[in-house]
Amino acid sequence: MSTINVKVAAIEAVTPLIKHFTLVHEDGSELPSFSGGSHIVVTMDAEGRTYRNPYSLMGSPTDTQAYHISVRRQESSRGGSLFMHEHVHVGMRLKITHPVNLFSLSKLAHKHILIAGGIGITPFMSQIEDLKRVGADYELHYAFRAYEQAAFVNELEEMCEGHLHCYADSQGERIDLNALLSQQPLGSHVYVCGPSPMVVAVLETARNLGWPENNIHNEEFSSPPVGEPFKVQLAKSDIEIQVPAEMSMLEAIEAAGVKADSLCRGGVCGRCELTVLETDGGIEHHDHYLSDSEKVSCRSIMPCVSRTKGKRLVLDL
Amino acid sequence: MVGSGAVLSVWLIEEINMERGYWIKSKPVYTSLKWHEKATSHLVLATGIGGMAVLKLFQQMHPTQPVKVLYGKYGQMEADYSDTLKMVVPEGLHIHKFDDALLTQFQLELRDAQMGLRIYVAGSEGFIWDVVAAAKPFGIQEMEIMKEQADTLARSVYCVHCKTISKYVTTNITACCGCERMLFVRDHFSRNLGAYMGLMVDAESPGELPAIEEIYP
Ligand code: FES
C-alpha cells in the first residue's frame, strides 16, 4: 500500500486521555482530499515491533493542508495508542496510508442517524462537515462516561447547532435505542462508531426493528482485543508463528514477513479474511464482518481482530 | 443506423442462440413472497393473479405486526382474487380497480411510514417495477422490496432510439409505440427504467424481419 510521509505539526491534550494530532505533509505539499468517515493507518516503528493503527480523520474533508486524528490512551491494549501518547512528539515523522473510506455516508439516505460512543466520535466530525455542506437532515447522538472526559463537546455544539444529543453515563443518561430507531422516517440510515457492545446493540436493535442491512453502517476502531498467546501455522508459507498476547494475529503475520491483505484493521471491511484449514479450540471472532453462521462454521477468520483459544490453528496463507 | 445494425447482428446471434447456462446478470431474479420476521409493519401490494401470492403469504401466517394489503383487481390477465382476499385479510385490505389508484395510495402510505415497514409486491414485472419507481423518492432501495413475479411474463421495452417505453410486450419483436421502429426485445434489463432494452431489428435490411413469436405470454 502506498504511504505518505507526514510530520507531526501539533499535539493537543483534549482530555486527560485523548490527544489530538495534527499531521502535515513532510515536504509541505497538499495531502489527498478525502470524504467524511475516512481513516488512515498510522505506522509506528517502536523498538522491536511495528504498530499499524487505524484512526479516523476528523478534520474538514476540504482541508488538504493538514490531517487531524485523535487517539485515546488505551492502557490495557497492545501499545499503539501508548506509543502515540508517550513517544510521538511535535516534529516527528510518521508514515500513513492514503485515506480509505469504509464508513461513508449513504448518498441515498433521506436522514442520517449518527451514534457515537466515546472516541468513536471522530469519524462523525468529518462527516458532519459533509452533511452540513449538502444540507442533509441528521441527528448526532453522542454517549460518553462523563462531561469531564468527553472530547469535542463544545466544538460539536457549535458545529451541529440543534442536531446534537449528549448522554453522560455518570449522570445516568443512556441512549434509548429502541425509542430512537423505531421512530425514524423511511429512507433513514443509521451509523454507529464506538465500543463493541454499543456497536452490537445498535446493529441488533436496528435489525430487530426491521431496518434493511443497507441502511445500517458501523465502524469500530477499538484496538484488537488482548488475548492468550497462541501459535498459528501458515500452510502455504510453511511457517509457524507465535502470536503474543498483546499483538493481533495480523500484526504477527506481518512481523514474520508474510504478505497479508488488510484495510480497516478493525474487523469491519473483510479484506483480511483468511481460510481456516484446521483448528482445535475454536475461534474467538471479534469482527463484525462474518455472519453468525459463518462464525459458527469456523471456516474463516479475520486476523486483524480475531484469535483462537486452542492450541492449533492452521491457515491457508 | 448502419453502424448500430452491425452491432445488433452480433447481439441477435448471441441471444437467439443463447447457450444453456448463460445468464444475463442484469435480468432480475424474483422470489416467492415470505414474511420478514423482523419488521414493525408490513405493506403488501399485488395485482391480478398476484393476489394468489398474497393468499399464500397469509397461509404462512398472519403476522403480529400491522399489515396493509393494497390489491389491484385487474392485472394483465383477468383474475380477481378480491373476494377471497376479503375473507382472508379482514383488516387493512384496500381494493383498487386500477394500478394508478393503487400506486397513489401506496405513496400516501409511504409518506407517513417509518423505518421498520417492509414492502412486498406480487404481479407482472411491469407492476413490480412501477412499485419500485414509486418507492424510490422515499429513499427505499430496490433490493429492500420483496418481489414475486406473477401474472404475465410480458415485458416493458425501452426503445434505445427514441427512449419510449412500450408496456406489456409479449413477443420477441415488437413495434415501438413511440417511433414505430421494429424492436428486438433483449434480455438486458435496466433497474432504473424498469424495462428491457429494445433495439431496432431491421436496421441493416429494412423490412427483413425474423419470425415474430409470442415468447413472453
Ligand atoms: S482488515 Fe478489515 S476486517 Fe480485517
Side-chain angles (χ1 to χ4, degrees):
Chain A
M1 207 185 290
S2 71
T3 54
I4 308 171
N5 296 321
V6 293
K7 198 169 71 185
V8 180
I11 303 178
E12 180 204 351
V14 184
T15 74
L17 289 177
I18 297 171
K19 277 187 178 176
H20 166 191
F21 297 81
T22 305
L23 310 174
V24 297
H25 205 293
E26 189 180 54
D27 60 16
S29 60
E30 270 185 46
L31 292 161
S33 58
F34 62 95
S35 51
S38 297
H39 75 270
I40 53 171
V41 175
V42 179
T43 304
M44 294 160 252
D45 281 313
E47 288 116 65
R49 70 172 286 190
T50 305
Y51 297 106
R52 287 190 188 83
N53 282 17
Y55 296 110
S56 297
L57 293 176
M58 49 169 230
S60 165
T62 51
D63 176 11
T64 51
Q65 292 308 317
Y67 283 168
H68 299 268
I69 58 172
S70 281
V71 180
R72 184 179 196 278
R73 192 187 169 103
Q74 314 274 12
E75 294 297 349
S76 64
S77 87
R78 320 135 323 117
S81 72
L82 283 187
F83 184 87
M84 288 297 287
H85 270 256
E86 282 168 12
H87 298 284
V88 174
H89 50 82
V90 173
M92 190 165 157
R93 319 263 146 159
L94 289 170
K95 270 194 198 335
I96 62 169
T97 58
H98 279 259
V100 171
N101 201 344
L102 300 172
F103 194 52
S104 49
L105 294 164
S106 164
K107 295 213 169 57
L108 301 169
H110 284 202
K111 183 176 178 187
H112 305 263
I113 314 294
L114 316 175
I115 303 176
I119 192 68
I121 191 67
T122 51
F124 295 124
M125 299 191 66
S126 59
Q127 288 187 335
I128 284 163
E129 295 273 350
D130 280 346
L131 291 170
K132 282 175 65 178
R133 194 158 349 102
V134 297
D137 187 10
Y138 73 96
E139 286 173 16
L140 172 60
H141 298 265
Y142 181 18
F144 41 76
R145 283 210 187 102
Y147 274 96
E148 309 83 75
Q149 291 168 30
F152 310 116
V153 172
N154 293 337
E155 286 93 324
L156 285 164
E157 261 166 10
E158 223 165 89
M159 274 167 82
C160 304
E161 287 153 4
H163 302 270
L164 175 68
H165 307 262
C166 287
Y167 307 80
D169 200 28
S170 63
Q171 301 182 7
E173 296 163 351
R174 295 281 158 80
I175 307 181
D176 183 346
L177 289 176
N178 220 56
L180 177 65
L181 298 179
S182 59
Q183 288 153 25
Q184 295 301 338
L186 283 183
S188 298
H189 283 239
V190 63
Y191 308 77
V192 56
C193 183
S196 192
M198 177 188 222
V199 173
V200 171
V202 170
L203 297 183
E204 269 180 13
T205 310
R207 283 178 189 141
N208 283 335
L209 289 170
W211 285 56
E213 276 312 303
N214 276 315
N215 297 45
I216 311 174
H217 313 262
N218 65 292
E219 176 134 281
E220 189 192 346
F221 277 153
S222 54
S223 17
V226 176
E228 295 297 312
F230 61 92
K231 284 200 192 81
V232 54
Q233 240 174 292
L234 305 184
K236 281 197 204 124
S237 321
D238 195 22
I239 51 169
E240 191 176 81
I241 296 173
Q242 179 73 36
V243 182
E246 69 308 333
M247 208 188 237
S248 74
M249 184 159 49
L250 178 64
E251 289 172 317
I253 292 171
E254 288 168 341
V258 176
K259 253 189 85 101
D261 250 348
S262 72
L263 199 56
C264 71
R265 305 181 78 92
V268 175
C269 72
R271 182 66 76 84
C272 67
E273 180 168 0
L274 292 175
T275 304
V276 176
L277 298 176
E278 265 179 63
T279 168
D280 65 352
I283 290 168
E284 285 175 51
H285 293 283
H286 294 295
D287 65 273
H288 291 295
Y289 176 75
L290 297 172
S291 67
D292 287 347
S293 60
E294 285 172 316
K295 283 182 182 170
V296 173
S297 81
C298 282
R299 268 187 228 119
S300 278
I301 188 166
M302 315 310 292
C304 62
V305 289
S306 299
R307 313 178 67 88
T308 177
K309 292 194 197 103
K311 293 258 166 325
R312 192 173 155 73
L313 178 66
V314 186
L315 300 178
D316 189 17
L317 181 71
Chain B
M1 271 305 131
V2 177
S4 74
V7 174
L8 172 67
S9 335
V10 177
W11 284 349
L12 269 177
I13 294 161
E14 179 192 305
E15 281 179 25
I16 289 169
N17 306 326
M18 198 184 293
E19 267 175 61
R20 294 191 183 196
Y22 182 71
W23 171 42
I24 294 190
K25 293 223 178 59
S26 65
K27 203 166 176 274
V29 178
Y30 303 100
T31 68
S32 300
L33 297 189
K34 189 169 158 279
W35 295 113
H36 284 281
E37 270 169 52
K38 311 243 159 106
T40 45
S41 59
H42 307 269
L43 183 54
V44 187
L45 301 99
T47 55
I49 294 177
M52 180 55 98
V54 181
L55 293 172
K56 284 196 222 150
L57 256 182
F58 282 91
Q59 289 278 303
Q60 289 165 26
M61 67 163 179
H62 205 122
T64 49
Q65 304 90 352
V67 184
K68 254 187 199 162
V69 178
L70 312 189
Y71 181 62
K73 271 186 180 191
Y74 306 118
Q76 265 319 94
M77 302 190 183
E78 303 277 301
D80 181 1
Y81 286 93
S82 315
D83 291 338
T84 323
L85 281 168
K86 275 184 210 151
M87 289 181 332
V88 174
V89 192
E91 255 172 75
L93 174 69
H94 301 260
I95 294 173
H96 293 274
K97 225 170 183 173
F98 300 107
D99 288 8
D100 288 356
L102 187 157
L103 291 172
T104 309
Q105 194 198 341
F106 175 48
Q107 291 199 314
L108 281 175
E109 300 285 343
L110 292 185
R111 210 160 53 192
D112 306 315
Q114 292 184 321
M115 291 300 289
L117 170 80
R118 304 303 313 231
I119 301 168
Y120 311 77
V121 53
S124 68
E125 197 168 39
F127 175 68
I128 290 173
W129 292 90
D130 283 346
V131 167
V132 168
K136 204 175 168 189
F138 296 85
I140 297 166
Q141 286 165 270
E142 172 256 307
M143 53 276 204
E144 294 164 28
I145 301 177
M146 202 183 281
K147 316 173 194 74
E148 176 165 339
Q149 185 176 22
D151 216 332
T152 163
L153 291 179
R155 295 181 166 193
S156 294
V157 178
Y158 174 80
C159 172
V160 304
H161 311 283
C162 79
K163 310 201 184 324
T164 306
I165 293 180
S166 308
K167 290 201 154 192
Y168 298 115
V169 174
T170 58
T171 48
N172 57 338
I173 290 163
T174 187
C176 170
C177 67
C179 64
E180 290 175 11
R181 284 184 178 91
M182 292 307 284
L183 303 175
F184 172 67
V185 181
R186 301 199 57 210
D187 262 346
H188 282 268
F189 186 81
S190 157
R191 277 155 209 259
N192 276 335
L193 300 166
Y196 292 87
M197 297 297 112
L199 249 113
M200 191 179 181
V201 78
D202 55 347
E204 269 176 3
S205 34
E208 260 179 54
L209 291 175
I212 299 181
E213 278 160 309
E214 179 169 273
I215 55 172
Y216 311 117

